[in-house]
Amino acid sequence: MFEELDNPAFKILASQCIHCGMCLQACPTYLVFNTEMDGPRGRILLMRAAAEGRVTPGESNDILAEHLGRCLACRACESACPSGVRYGTLIETVRVAMETHRSPGALERFVRWLAFRQMMPHVGRLKLVACLMWLYEAIGLQRLFRALKALPATLGAMEAILPPITPRYRDYRKPAPAIGERRGDVAFFIGCIQEAFLSQANEATVRVLQRNGYTVHFPAGQTCCGAAQLHMDEQELARELARKNIDAFLAGDYAAIINNAGGCGATLKHEYADLLKDDPVYAERAKQFCARVQDISEFLIDHLHVPPQGEVRARATYSDSCHLRHVQKVIRPPRELLQRIPGLQFVELGQPDRCCGSAGVYNIVQSNTANAVLDIKMADIAATGADLIVTSNTGCHMQLIVGARRAGLKAQVKHVVEVLEMSYRAMGEQ
Ligand code: SF4
Ligand code: SF4
């Protein structure tokens, strides 16, 4: 029996599904497997069965692990559902319950300890790894390993998502001053993987904010957002990280706390308050923190004081980050920002809300399914004829680089702010 699910609140949530099937065509894994249990409706039935004791931990846990494990938690079904079923809450609750009844082996425990505690909260260590990976790419080892397919499955999947690395890092000890007329002060959430492996997106974010009159602060003591830890049932660690971030960012008076990764932003903005609701010291502070968090495109759409006037001659399409679209509901701003750039021809995807298959560590632990989901996305992208694929989340960014390579596309992948910065640079500004 999953005691964790045997409560009225969960059962009520799960019973809100009226089995209409409106969500099925929105579900990437349903489209890949074409089976009911790999779509939201079937998964909700499985969850109800678990809550009612018809599927129990142990042997029959396998059926849950198989079908719920394949869920990307992209929440496209939630946006498509006319009954307002909160699928995201359901799947998170069930996954935590399943983790409670699972005993990971020594190797898995070690990898989790290494990734969640020793690496992600320490961006300096991640940068060191990124520099080593840059060397690995620069001296041609990457080409050799890829040609020989010499790495074992999981390591090979990790290697496959390694983006081209430019290990150029800003010194975050000093604020970045506003350029031109000063409009205010904002704080920037640096993140972990994004800063180490895609630092050009962070740099462009800072530059675009400066160009629009904002002094950008980088509060000391900030750390990884805790999203990965939270979704892998490491709640206590996620709380520790959340408290550190809240202390760091509430120490100053900023117009907004800006982040540029859809996945991190969803946790910072929508999960900290719930995570710390029973903490007598942090419950209120968490709410204050969440209220100030904004995605960079959400902030810029209202604060783009200096219009980008340099031409960017490109045909661009935009692939939504699931967490930015379905959780943060930031859909219009990135598109509008791109449409303001002279010379840039914006082409909407046929299915812009479809997940790319990145989904946290999904593309490492379930690489075959992730690639099948990615190939559907890339066919949609290829049909637009775009030479610029724009996104706004670290995992999507890396996954779309893999996708372009798999599909043989020459298109470049960039964050929205990188494209804005290209336009500002073309204006001949500093
Ligand atoms: S979260 Fe995504 S993958 Fe999971 S059931 Fe919903 S649409 Fe399908
Ligand atoms: S759209 Fe909503 S109500 Fe309909 S089957 Fe999907 S989850 Fe259930």
Side-chain angles (χ1 to χ4, degrees):
M1 180 78 182
F2 285 96
E3 303 83 18
E4 305 81 0
L5 307 178
D6 185 21
N7 66 72
F10 181 84
K11 287 178 181 167
I12 288 170
L13 267 187
S15 67
Q16 281 167 350
C17 174
I18 55 167
H19 318 299
C20 66
M22 301 279 282
C23 52
L24 296 181
Q25 292 305 314
C27 175
T29 55
Y30 181 78
L31 297 181
V32 168
F33 293 102
N34 208 17
T35 52
E36 185 66 18
M37 289 303 154
D38 291 308
R41 186 171 59 184
R43 287 182 177 133
I44 292 171
L45 280 177
L46 275 177
M47 295 183 209
R48 283 181 64 176
E52 289 162 8
R54 288 179 284 123
V55 176
T56 52
E59 264 179 39
S60 54
N61 198 7
D62 291 350
I63 191 169
L64 292 184
E66 181 181 349
H67 298 292
L68 301 188
R70 281 184 188 154
C71 172
L72 294 145
C74 67
R75 295 169 70 164
C77 49
E78 212 171 294
S79 293
C81 175
S83 303
V85 172
R86 284 164 47 207
Y87 182 88
T89 309
L90 289 170
I91 188 81
E92 288 300 333
T93 312
V94 175
R95 282 187 171 171
V96 168
M98 286 167 67
E99 277 299 309
T100 312
H101 291 273
R102 202 172 68 90
S103 313
L107 180 63
E108 186 184 333
R109 285 204 307 275
F110 171 72
V111 171
R112 286 170 73 125
W113 170 82
L114 188 68
F116 294 155
R117 290 182 183 272
Q118 301 304 317
M119 299 305 293
M120 293 173 79
H122 305 281
V123 73
R125 294 177 194 172
L126 286 173
K127 284 181 185 172
L128 190 65
V129 173
C131 289
L132 292 173
M133 292 299 103
W134 168 79
L135 197 63
Y136 162 80
E137 291 175 356
I139 62 175
L141 269 180
Q142 180 174 63
R143 253 177 293 135
L144 184 68
F145 273 93
R146 284 186 178 175
L148 295 176
K149 296 189 173 44
L151 295 171
T154 307
L155 210 54
M158 286 173 80
E159 199 282 335
I161 58 168
L162 207 58
I165 297 166
T166 313
R168 219 175 287 134
Y169 301 115
R170 173 179 279 270
D171 178 358
Y172 287 114
R173 284 171 300 183
K174 289 181 293 203
I179 296 172
E181 188 183 340
R182 202 175 127 73
R183 313 261 177 185
D185 293 83
V186 293
F188 179 53
F189 177 79
I190 297 164
C192 55
I193 307 281
Q194 173 106 323
E195 171 62 13
F197 293 90
L198 291 168
S199 60
Q200 65 276 19
N202 277 2
E203 184 57 24
T205 307
V206 176
R207 295 289 296 163
V208 169
L209 286 166
Q210 285 181 281
R211 288 179 192 280
N212 281 281
Y214 291 92
T215 293
V216 188
H217 298 261
F218 313 104
Q222 63 173 295
T223 184
C224 154
C225 67
Q229 291 84 347
L230 184 60
H231 300 142
M232 296 297 281
D233 193 28
E234 299 271 359
Q235 264 87 351
E236 222 19 78
L237 177 56
R239 278 188 197 100
E240 268 176 45
L241 299 173
R243 289 186 193 102
K244 281 190 186 162
N245 281 325
I246 291 168
D247 285 342
F249 284 92
L250 292 190
D253 185 18
Y254 309 115
I257 299 167
I258 309 283
N259 78 92
N260 61 8
C264 306
T267 295
L268 297 170
K269 198 198 284 184
H270 294 284
E271 298 193 278
Y272 275 15
D274 192 47
L275 193 60
L276 294 167
K277 67 179 185 306
D278 298 322
D279 184 319
V281 179
Y282 282 87
E284 203 44 48
R285 286 167 64 71
K287 282 189 206 160
Q288 289 169 18
F289 174 89
C290 292
R292 287 202 214 165
V293 174
Q294 283 196 288
D295 179 75
I296 180 68
S297 57
E298 196 181 9
F299 180 80
L300 285 176
I301 203 68
D302 294 327
H303 301 88
L304 202 69
H305 305 293
V306 179
Q309 287 175 344
E311 281 209 345
V312 176
R313 294 209 162 273
R315 190 174 165 87
T317 192
Y318 178 74
S319 179
D320 287 279
S321 141
C322 295
H323 282 83
L324 192 59
R325 182 178 181 116
H326 301 301
V327 182
Q328 297 193 56
K329 311 287 183 200
V330 177
I331 300 169
R332 183 183 56 84
R335 291 172 166 79
E336 275 194 28
L337 289 172
L338 291 173
Q339 284 162 348
R340 289 186 194 182
I341 297 174
L344 189 126
Q345 191 188 354
F346 178 75
V347 197
E348 188 65 89
L349 286 172
Q351 303 286 340
D353 56 341
R354 192 73 46 79
C355 180
C356 63
S358 165
V361 292
Y362 192 101
N363 52 356
I364 295 171
V365 296
Q366 306 212 40
S367 55
N368 289 341
T369 310
N371 283 338
V373 170
L374 176 61
D375 291 344
I376 297 174
K377 169 63 95 183
M378 295 317 295
D380 196 2
I381 289 175
T384 65
D387 45 26
L388 204 51
I389 306 167
V390 187
T391 189
S392 37
N393 182 45
T394 319
C396 311
H397 199 139
M398 291 179 169
Q399 179 79 340
L400 291 167
I401 293 174
V402 178
R405 193 168 67 230
R406 282 175 68 83
L409 299 180
K410 294 237 166 9
Q412 286 189 300
V413 182
K414 294 209 177 285
H415 192 289
V416 179
V417 281
E418 286 185 87
V419 189
L420 278 173
E421 178 59 8
M422 282 162 71
S423 173
Y424 285 123
R425 282 229 180 107
M427 284 164 74
E429 287 193 11
Q430 36 183 314

